[in-house]
Amino acid sequence: MGADSEHWFDYYTVTVDRPAWRTVKLAIDKFREEDAAAGGPLRSDGRPLPRRFAVDLGCGAGRDTRELLRAGWRVLAVDREPAARTAMEAAVEPNLRDGLQVHIEDLAAFEVPPCDLVNASLCLPFLPPEAFEAAWRRIVAALEPGARFAAMLFGDHDESASDPTMTCQPPGRFEADLAGFEIEHWSVEEDDRPTALGEPHHFHLIEFVARKVG
Ligand SMILES: C[S@@+](CC[C@H](N)C(=O)[O-])C[C@H]1O[C@@H](n2cnc3c(N)ncnc32)[C@H](O)[C@@H]1O
């Protein structure tokens, strides 16, 4: 399933109007609950709390980025494909653009800045194993206790597992790599269905939302 720029351009055309994934929605809800429990959007001295800040890795056409922006977040949206910027900027509502920064870089090198949430929907599997492990370490290092990591990954039964340019691992391996996190949402699904571009594919999809605790 390793893919080129033309593939991703077609992917953006098809997915640009699709709703956000449930992982990012769950993460937003968790923060909203915490903010409400802490007394709402104001500090104890009456000043507004700073906007929450998310890094959306492999943002594509921005289905998750837009959900975050609509929830009032600032978002750094990162992708290797320049076409992602074009698709994203065309699709974001004008009144939300001040919260958005798009950055074009390969995740194999990207230094994740400190943030409240790293969101990575269906992008990390496209890194080969060594780059995947380095990116994972940078994500974990960017998160302070209380911050969250939301992701959609491919398991070792996925059809892409035979592609050496990709990283598809047993679910238990990802779980072990989340030591130091409280896993708040965890799902593993395996089925045959078409990809967004209509190609048949055997999926082994792992998703989680995890809160850094130490
Ligand atoms: C399946 S799409 C997912 C897009 C978006 N997160 C979504 O769920 O709609 C994978 C995205 O990861 C990006 N991607 C793949 N490998 C990458 C890499 N090495 N560095 C940065 N982005 C990458 C692709 O360009 C593409 O936009």
Side-chain angles (χ1 to χ4, degrees), residues 149-167:
F149 181 15
M152 298 173 73
L153 303 164
F154 291 159
D156 57 327
H157 296 171
D158 196 278
E159 192 173 320
S160 298
S162 57
D163 183 339
T165 69
M166 296 185 63
T167 301

Side-chain angles (χ1 to χ4, degrees), residues 97-116:
R97 287 195 187 135
D98 72 320
L100 172 65
Q101 187 187 348
V102 182
H103 178 72
I104 302 302
E105 188 174 345
D106 195 316
L107 298 179
F110 177 64
E111 290 294 340
V112 183
C115 57
D116 296 298

Side-chain angles (χ1 to χ4, degrees), residues 8 12 21 58 60 63 79-81 106-107 121-123 127:
W8 291 129
Y12 303 152
W21 295 108
R63 59 202 296 178
D79 205 287
R80 185 174 57 184
E81 296 294 329
D106 195 316
L107 298 179
S121 296
L122 303 174
C123 58
L127 293 170

Side-chain angles (χ1 to χ4, degrees), residues 58-199:
C59 58
R63 59 202 296 178
D64 289 349
T65 291
R66 287 198 303 281
E67 188 77 12
L68 286 156
L69 292 169
R70 287 179 192 134
W73 287 59
R74 284 191 306 121
V75 184
L76 174 62
V78 185
D79 205 287
R80 185 174 57 184
E81 296 294 329
R85 182 200 293 278
T86 315
M88 169 84 73
E89 289 180 348
V92 168
E93 296 92 322
N95 62 318
L96 299 179
R97 287 195 187 135
D98 72 320
L100 172 65
Q101 187 187 348
V102 182
H103 178 72
I104 302 302
E105 188 174 345
D106 195 316
L107 298 179
F110 177 64
E111 290 294 340
V112 183
C115 57
D116 296 298
L117 170 68
V118 170
N119 183 60
S121 296
L122 303 174
C123 58
L124 294 174
F126 294 94
L127 293 170
E130 211 172 294
F132 178 97
E133 282 165 28
W136 187 284
R137 281 195 297 272
R138 289 193 296 270
I139 291 167
V140 171
L143 299 174
E144 295 289 337
R148 288 186 168 85
F149 181 15
M152 298 173 73
L153 303 164
F154 291 159
D156 57 327
H157 296 171
D158 196 278
E159 192 173 320
S160 298
S162 57
D163 183 339
T165 69
M166 296 185 63
T167 301
C168 306
Q169 301 187 127
R173 170 74 193 275
F174 295 121
E175 210 173 350
D177 286 344
L178 286 169
F181 285 81
E182 175 198 352
I183 298 178
E184 300 175 309
H185 165 73
W186 178 262
S187 160
V188 181
E189 287 175 14
E190 189 170 344
D191 59 8
D192 291 293
R193 60 192 148 93
T195 65
L197 292 177
E199 297 148 0

